[in-house]
Amino acid sequence: MVKEDKEEKEEKKGSEASENKITDVPGIGPGIAAKLEAAGIYDLMGLAVMSPSALSDMAGVGEAVARKAIQAARGMMKLGFMDGMEFAKRREDVGYITCGSVALNNLLGGKGVETRSMTEAYGAFGSGKTQLALTLAVNVQLPKEQGGINGKAVYIDTEGTFRPARIRQIAEGMGANADKVLKNILVARAFNSDHQILLLDKINELMKDGEPIKLVIIDSLTAHFRAEFSGRGQLADRQQKLNRYLHDLMKLAEQRNLAIYVTNQVMANPAMMFGDPTTAIGGNIVGHASTYRIYLRRGKQGSRVAKLIDSPNLPENEAQFWVTEKGVRDEEE
Ligand code: GTP
Ligand code: MG
Protein backbone atom coordinates (compact mmCIF):
# COMPACT_ATOMS: atom_id res chain seq x y z
CA MET A 1 0.00 0.00 0.00
CA VAL A 2 2.69 2.40 1.10
CA LYS A 3 4.85 1.33 -1.82
CA GLU A 4 2.05 1.92 -4.31
CA ASP A 5 1.58 5.43 -3.02
CA LYS A 6 5.21 6.16 -3.44
CA GLU A 7 5.26 4.85 -6.99
CA GLU A 8 2.24 6.90 -7.87
CA LYS A 9 3.88 10.02 -6.54
CA GLU A 10 7.04 9.37 -8.51
CA GLU A 11 5.09 8.84 -11.65
CA LYS A 12 3.33 12.15 -11.15
CA LYS A 13 6.61 13.90 -10.56
CA GLY A 14 7.97 12.42 -13.79
CA SER A 15 5.11 13.52 -15.97
CA GLU A 16 5.08 16.98 -14.45
CA ALA A 17 8.76 17.39 -15.22
CA SER A 18 8.25 16.46 -18.85
CA GLU A 19 5.47 19.01 -19.22
CA ASN A 20 7.61 21.98 -18.24
CA LYS A 21 7.43 24.72 -20.82
CA ILE A 22 10.06 27.22 -21.78
CA THR A 23 8.04 29.99 -20.09
CA ASP A 24 8.30 28.11 -16.78
CA VAL A 25 11.97 29.06 -16.66
CA PRO A 26 12.55 32.09 -14.43
CA GLY A 27 13.44 35.10 -16.58
CA ILE A 28 11.77 33.73 -19.73
CA GLY A 29 8.47 35.50 -20.33
CA PRO A 30 6.17 35.11 -23.33
CA GLY A 31 8.01 37.88 -25.23
CA ILE A 32 11.39 36.19 -24.97
CA ALA A 33 9.80 32.80 -25.61
CA ALA A 34 8.43 34.13 -28.91
CA LYS A 35 11.86 35.40 -29.93
CA LEU A 36 13.39 32.04 -29.08
CA GLU A 37 10.72 30.22 -31.02
CA ALA A 38 11.42 32.36 -34.05
CA ALA A 39 15.02 31.22 -33.76
CA GLY A 40 14.01 27.56 -33.61
CA ILE A 41 14.20 27.01 -29.84
CA TYR A 42 10.93 25.53 -28.70
CA ASP A 43 11.61 23.52 -25.60
CA LEU A 44 13.67 23.22 -22.45
CA MET A 45 16.28 21.09 -24.18
CA GLY A 46 16.82 23.76 -26.80
CA LEU A 47 17.35 26.32 -24.07
CA ALA A 48 19.47 24.07 -21.88
CA VAL A 49 22.09 23.47 -24.55
CA MET A 50 22.49 27.15 -25.48
CA SER A 51 25.44 29.30 -24.51
CA PRO A 52 24.73 32.36 -22.33
CA SER A 53 26.11 34.72 -24.99
CA ALA A 54 23.91 33.25 -27.73
CA LEU A 55 20.83 33.49 -25.53
CA SER A 56 21.73 37.02 -24.49
CA ASP A 57 22.00 38.10 -28.16
CA MET A 58 18.86 36.32 -29.21
CA ALA A 59 16.62 37.37 -26.35
CA GLY A 60 18.03 40.83 -25.78
CA VAL A 61 18.76 40.21 -22.10
CA GLY A 62 21.98 40.55 -20.13
CA GLU A 63 24.39 37.63 -19.96
CA ALA A 64 23.82 37.14 -16.24
CA VAL A 65 20.09 36.72 -16.79
CA ALA A 66 20.77 34.41 -19.70
CA ARG A 67 23.14 32.28 -17.66
CA LYS A 68 20.62 31.95 -14.84
CA ALA A 69 17.87 30.94 -17.27
CA ILE A 70 20.06 28.27 -18.89
CA GLN A 71 21.05 26.91 -15.50
CA ALA A 72 17.41 26.79 -14.46
CA ALA A 73 16.46 24.96 -17.68
CA ARG A 74 19.25 22.45 -17.09
CA GLY A 75 18.07 21.95 -13.52
CA MET A 76 14.51 21.34 -14.68
CA MET A 77 15.75 18.83 -17.23
CA LYS A 78 18.11 17.09 -14.85
CA LEU A 79 20.90 17.23 -17.43
CA GLY A 80 24.24 15.84 -16.50
CA PHE A 81 24.96 12.44 -15.07
CA MET A 82 22.36 9.73 -15.08
CA ASP A 83 22.56 6.28 -13.59
CA GLY A 84 22.83 3.14 -15.69
CA MET A 85 19.13 2.35 -15.40
CA GLU A 86 18.13 5.79 -16.63
CA PHE A 87 20.65 5.55 -19.43
CA ALA A 88 19.27 2.19 -20.53
CA LYS A 89 15.76 3.58 -20.50
CA ARG A 90 16.80 6.48 -22.69
CA ARG A 91 18.37 4.08 -25.16
CA GLU A 92 15.10 2.17 -25.35
CA ASP A 93 13.47 4.83 -27.49
CA VAL A 94 16.28 4.74 -30.06
CA GLY A 95 14.82 3.74 -33.43
CA TYR A 96 16.51 1.81 -36.24
CA ILE A 97 16.20 1.96 -40.02
CA THR A 98 17.18 -1.07 -42.03
CA CYS A 99 19.69 -0.47 -44.83
CA GLY A 100 18.02 -3.16 -46.95
CA SER A 101 20.99 -5.46 -46.41
CA VAL A 102 21.45 -7.69 -43.36
CA ALA A 103 25.22 -7.60 -43.81
CA LEU A 104 25.23 -3.80 -43.76
CA ASN A 105 22.83 -3.70 -40.81
CA ASN A 106 25.14 -6.05 -38.91
CA LEU A 107 28.13 -3.87 -39.69
CA LEU A 108 26.27 -1.02 -37.98
CA GLY A 109 25.49 -3.06 -34.90
CA GLY A 110 22.55 -5.18 -36.06
CA LYS A 111 19.53 -3.12 -37.02
CA GLY A 112 20.83 -0.48 -39.40
CA VAL A 113 21.06 3.28 -39.07
CA GLU A 114 19.97 4.55 -35.65
CA THR A 115 18.30 7.64 -34.25
CA ARG A 116 20.12 10.07 -31.96
CA SER A 117 23.15 9.35 -34.14
CA MET A 118 24.85 10.51 -37.28
CA THR A 119 25.93 7.94 -39.85
CA GLU A 120 28.38 9.09 -42.50
CA ALA A 121 29.09 7.24 -45.74
CA TYR A 122 32.12 8.36 -47.68
CA GLY A 123 33.58 6.98 -50.85
CA ALA A 124 34.38 7.62 -54.51
CA PHE A 125 31.74 8.53 -57.10
CA GLY A 126 29.45 5.63 -57.90
CA SER A 127 30.30 3.81 -54.68
CA GLY A 128 26.65 3.72 -53.57
CA LYS A 129 26.35 6.62 -51.12
CA THR A 130 23.28 8.12 -52.80
CA GLN A 131 21.72 4.72 -53.45
CA LEU A 132 21.92 3.92 -49.74
CA ALA A 133 20.39 7.33 -48.98
CA LEU A 134 17.43 6.66 -51.28
CA THR A 135 16.93 3.19 -49.82
CA LEU A 136 16.90 4.59 -46.27
CA ALA A 137 14.42 7.31 -47.29
CA VAL A 138 12.00 4.55 -48.29
CA ASN A 139 12.79 2.16 -45.41
CA VAL A 140 12.27 4.73 -42.62
CA GLN A 141 8.60 4.65 -43.61
CA LEU A 142 8.25 0.94 -42.86
CA PRO A 143 6.59 -0.21 -39.64
CA LYS A 144 8.91 -1.27 -36.84
CA GLU A 145 8.44 -5.00 -37.49
CA GLN A 146 9.77 -4.50 -40.99
CA GLY A 147 12.78 -2.44 -40.01
CA GLY A 148 11.44 1.10 -40.14
CA ILE A 149 10.18 3.76 -37.73
CA ASN A 150 6.90 4.71 -39.41
CA GLY A 151 8.46 8.10 -40.11
CA LYS A 152 9.08 10.58 -42.85
CA ALA A 153 12.42 11.49 -44.38
CA VAL A 154 13.94 14.86 -45.17
CA TYR A 155 16.30 14.83 -48.13
CA ILE A 156 18.67 17.78 -48.43
CA ASP A 157 20.06 17.53 -51.91
CA THR A 158 23.11 19.67 -52.60
CA GLU A 159 23.98 18.26 -55.99
CA GLY A 160 20.65 17.87 -57.71
CA THR A 161 20.92 14.09 -57.79
CA PHE A 162 17.63 13.23 -56.07
CA ARG A 163 15.52 11.23 -58.52
CA PRO A 164 11.82 10.65 -57.74
CA ALA A 165 11.71 7.96 -60.42
CA ARG A 166 14.37 6.00 -58.55
CA ILE A 167 12.34 6.25 -55.33
CA ARG A 168 9.33 4.91 -57.23
CA GLN A 169 11.37 1.98 -58.49
CA ILE A 170 12.63 1.11 -55.00
CA ALA A 171 9.16 1.50 -53.45
CA GLU A 172 7.48 -0.61 -56.11
CA GLY A 173 10.20 -3.24 -55.76
CA MET A 174 9.09 -3.55 -52.15
CA GLY A 175 5.42 -3.72 -53.06
CA ALA A 176 4.68 -0.28 -51.60
CA ASN A 177 2.49 2.51 -52.99
CA ALA A 178 5.04 4.73 -54.76
CA ASP A 179 2.92 7.90 -54.54
CA LYS A 180 2.55 7.53 -50.79
CA VAL A 181 6.23 6.81 -50.35
CA LEU A 182 7.19 9.90 -52.37
CA LYS A 183 4.83 12.07 -50.35
CA ASN A 184 6.66 11.06 -47.19
CA ILE A 185 10.00 12.32 -48.46
CA LEU A 186 10.43 16.07 -48.05
CA VAL A 187 13.07 17.18 -50.52
CA ALA A 188 14.94 20.47 -50.54
CA ARG A 189 17.67 21.53 -52.89
CA ALA A 190 20.39 23.45 -51.03
CA PHE A 191 22.02 25.99 -53.31
CA ASN A 192 24.98 26.90 -51.16
CA SER A 193 26.35 26.16 -47.70
CA ASP A 194 24.40 29.00 -46.03
CA HIS A 195 21.19 27.68 -47.51
CA GLN A 196 22.12 24.18 -46.42
CA ILE A 197 22.62 25.41 -42.85
CA LEU A 198 19.37 27.40 -42.90
CA LEU A 199 17.38 24.33 -43.88
CA LEU A 200 17.99 22.86 -40.42
CA ASP A 201 15.73 25.54 -38.91
CA LYS A 202 13.12 24.56 -41.43
CA ILE A 203 13.25 20.97 -40.19
CA ASN A 204 12.63 22.18 -36.64
CA GLU A 205 9.62 24.11 -37.88
CA LEU A 206 8.23 21.13 -39.75
CA MET A 207 8.58 18.95 -36.68
CA LYS A 208 6.89 21.56 -34.56
CA ASP A 209 4.00 21.42 -37.01
CA GLY A 210 3.77 17.73 -36.26
CA GLU A 211 5.66 16.19 -39.18
CA PRO A 212 6.95 12.79 -37.94
CA ILE A 213 10.43 13.18 -39.40
CA LYS A 214 12.69 10.33 -38.36
CA LEU A 215 15.50 10.59 -40.88
CA VAL A 216 17.45 13.55 -42.21
CA ILE A 217 19.66 12.90 -45.23
CA ILE A 218 22.29 15.34 -46.42
CA ASP A 219 23.67 14.37 -49.81
CA SER A 220 26.33 15.68 -49.82
CA LEU A 221 27.38 17.11 -46.47
CA THR A 222 30.61 18.67 -47.68
CA ALA A 223 30.33 19.48 -51.42
CA HIS A 224 29.25 23.13 -50.98
CA PHE A 225 31.74 23.75 -48.21
CA ARG A 226 34.49 22.31 -50.30
CA ALA A 227 33.60 24.37 -53.38
CA GLU A 228 33.13 27.65 -51.51
CA PHE A 229 36.22 27.49 -49.35
CA SER A 230 38.70 26.30 -51.91
CA GLY A 231 41.26 29.08 -51.68
CA ARG A 232 44.52 28.94 -49.83
CA GLY A 233 44.14 29.92 -46.21
CA GLN A 234 40.40 29.25 -46.16
CA LEU A 235 40.61 25.81 -44.65
CA ALA A 236 40.31 27.00 -41.06
CA ASP A 237 37.20 29.05 -41.86
CA ARG A 238 35.63 26.14 -43.66
CA GLN A 239 36.32 23.73 -40.83
CA GLN A 240 34.91 26.15 -38.29
CA LYS A 241 31.69 26.61 -40.23
CA LEU A 242 31.40 22.88 -40.88
CA ASN A 243 32.05 22.12 -37.23
CA ARG A 244 29.25 24.41 -36.13
CA TYR A 245 26.88 22.89 -38.64
CA LEU A 246 27.75 19.36 -37.48
CA HIS A 247 27.15 20.42 -33.92
CA ASP A 248 23.68 21.72 -34.85
CA LEU A 249 22.96 18.50 -36.72
CA MET A 250 23.81 16.38 -33.70
CA LYS A 251 21.67 18.60 -31.52
CA LEU A 252 18.78 18.02 -33.89
CA ALA A 253 19.32 14.25 -33.81
CA GLU A 254 19.46 14.22 -30.02
CA GLN A 255 16.55 16.57 -29.34
CA ARG A 256 14.21 15.12 -31.92
CA ASN A 257 15.28 11.48 -31.63
CA LEU A 258 15.92 11.16 -35.36
CA ALA A 259 18.60 9.59 -37.52
CA ILE A 260 21.04 11.59 -39.62
CA TYR A 261 22.66 10.10 -42.70
CA VAL A 262 25.23 12.16 -44.56
CA THR A 263 27.35 11.43 -47.60
CA ASN A 264 30.86 12.66 -48.09
CA GLN A 265 33.35 12.66 -50.94
CA VAL A 266 36.94 11.54 -50.83
CA MET A 267 40.17 13.05 -51.99
CA ALA A 268 43.44 11.43 -52.86
CA ASN A 269 45.86 11.29 -49.98
CA PRO A 270 49.35 11.28 -51.45
CA ALA A 271 50.92 10.77 -48.04
CA MET A 272 49.46 7.30 -47.76
CA MET A 273 51.66 4.67 -49.34
CA PHE A 274 49.83 1.45 -48.53
CA GLY A 275 46.23 0.41 -48.81
CA ASP A 276 43.49 2.61 -50.23
CA PRO A 277 44.93 6.12 -50.61
CA THR A 278 41.72 8.08 -50.07
CA THR A 279 40.57 10.27 -47.21
CA ALA A 280 37.20 11.81 -46.46
CA ILE A 281 36.64 15.53 -46.99
CA GLY A 282 36.40 17.53 -43.80
CA GLY A 283 38.86 15.20 -42.11
CA ASN A 284 38.73 14.73 -38.37
CA ILE A 285 35.97 17.25 -37.81
CA VAL A 286 33.45 15.15 -39.70
CA GLY A 287 34.97 11.94 -38.36
CA HIS A 288 34.56 13.01 -34.76
CA ALA A 289 31.00 14.18 -35.26
CA SER A 290 29.89 10.96 -36.94
CA THR A 291 28.69 8.25 -34.59
CA TYR A 292 29.10 5.67 -37.35
CA ARG A 293 31.39 6.19 -40.28
CA ILE A 294 31.47 3.80 -43.22
CA TYR A 295 33.77 3.79 -46.21
CA LEU A 296 32.12 2.51 -49.42
CA ARG A 297 33.92 1.12 -52.44
CA ARG A 298 33.24 -1.06 -55.42
CA GLY A 299 33.87 -4.77 -54.74
CA LYS A 300 34.05 -7.98 -56.75
CA GLN A 301 31.42 -8.84 -59.39
CA GLY A 302 29.58 -5.55 -59.18
CA SER A 303 29.18 -5.71 -55.43
CA ARG A 304 29.90 -2.90 -52.98
CA VAL A 305 31.99 -3.15 -49.85
CA ALA A 306 31.35 -1.10 -46.74
CA LYS A 307 34.00 -0.80 -44.08
CA LEU A 308 33.26 0.49 -40.61
CA ILE A 309 35.85 3.09 -39.58
CA ASP A 310 36.83 4.08 -36.02
CA SER A 311 33.70 3.00 -34.21
CA PRO A 312 34.01 3.35 -30.43
CA ASN A 313 31.90 0.30 -29.68
CA LEU A 314 31.96 -1.94 -32.76
CA PRO A 315 34.77 -3.94 -34.40
CA GLU A 316 36.31 -2.66 -37.62
CA ASN A 317 34.53 -5.02 -40.01
CA GLU A 318 33.56 -5.13 -43.66
CA ALA A 319 30.23 -5.98 -45.27
CA GLN A 320 29.40 -6.84 -48.86
CA PHE A 321 26.17 -5.65 -50.46
CA TRP A 322 24.62 -4.92 -53.85
CA VAL A 323 22.87 -1.94 -55.39
CA THR A 324 19.89 -3.45 -57.18
CA GLU A 325 16.75 -2.18 -58.85
CA LYS A 326 15.05 -2.57 -55.44
CA GLY A 327 17.73 -0.51 -53.73
CA VAL A 328 20.41 -1.82 -51.40
CA ARG A 329 20.25 -5.61 -50.98
CA ASP A 330 22.28 -8.61 -49.80
CA GLU A 331 22.22 -10.29 -53.16
CA GLU A 332 22.60 -9.51 -56.81
CA GLU A 333 19.42 -9.32 -58.88
P1 GTP B 1 28.68 10.35 -56.21
O1 GTP B 1 27.45 11.02 -55.74
O2 GTP B 1 28.96 10.56 -57.64
O3 GTP B 1 29.89 10.67 -55.37
O4 GTP B 1 28.48 8.76 -56.08
P2 GTP B 1 27.54 7.88 -55.14
O5 GTP B 1 28.41 7.13 -54.19
O6 GTP B 1 26.44 8.68 -54.58
O7 GTP B 1 26.98 6.83 -56.17
P3 GTP B 1 25.50 6.29 -56.31
O8 GTP B 1 24.99 5.87 -55.01
O9 GTP B 1 24.71 7.23 -57.09
O10 GTP B 1 25.76 4.98 -57.15
C1 GTP B 1 25.57 4.93 -58.53
C2 GTP B 1 25.69 3.50 -58.95
O11 GTP B 1 24.60 2.76 -58.40
C3 GTP B 1 25.59 3.32 -60.44
O12 GTP B 1 26.87 3.40 -61.01
C4 GTP B 1 25.02 1.94 -60.55
O13 GTP B 1 26.07 1.00 -60.49
C5 GTP B 1 24.20 1.76 -59.29
N1 GTP B 1 22.76 1.90 -59.59
C6 GTP B 1 22.02 3.02 -59.60
N2 GTP B 1 20.75 2.77 -59.93
C7 GTP B 1 20.68 1.43 -60.14
C8 GTP B 1 19.62 0.52 -60.50
O14 GTP B 1 18.49 0.90 -60.72
N3 GTP B 1 19.95 -0.79 -60.60
C9 GTP B 1 21.19 -1.23 -60.36
N4 GTP B 1 21.45 -2.53 -60.47
N5 GTP B 1 22.20 -0.42 -60.03
C10 GTP B 1 21.96 0.89 -59.90
MG1 MG C 1 25.77 10.62 -54.91
Side-chain angles (χ1 to χ4, degrees), residues 125-126 128-131 155 159 161 219-220 263 265:
F125 60 90
K129 305 180 294 287
T130 296
Q131 294 303 315
Y155 201 111
E159 309 186 295
T161 51
D219 185 16
S220 115
T263 70
Q265 273 78 20

Side-chain angles (χ1 to χ4, degrees), residues 25-26 44 47-48 68-79:
V25 176
L44 281 186
L47 186 61
K68 258 192 196 146
I70 291 165
Q71 271 163 3
R74 287 182 185 169
M76 285 155 92
M77 297 214 37
K78 293 196 272 173
L79 281 182

Side-chain angles (χ1 to χ4, degrees), residues 135-186:
T135 305
L136 289 168
V138 175
N139 287 352
V140 68
Q141 303 180 36
L142 292 167
K144 195 175 171 193
E145 317 81 67
Q146 290 176 46
I149 323 181
N150 261 317
K152 292 191 180 186
V154 160
Y155 201 111
I156 298 178
D157 182 11
T158 68
E159 309 186 295
T161 51
F162 180 81
R163 292 281 174 275
R166 181 67 176 126
I167 292 286
R168 278 187 180 283
Q169 201 181 28
I170 296 173
E172 276 159 12
M174 292 171 43
N177 179 323
D179 285 341
K180 276 193 188 157
V181 169
L182 267 173
K183 262 198 157 347
N184 286 333
I185 304 174
L186 311 165

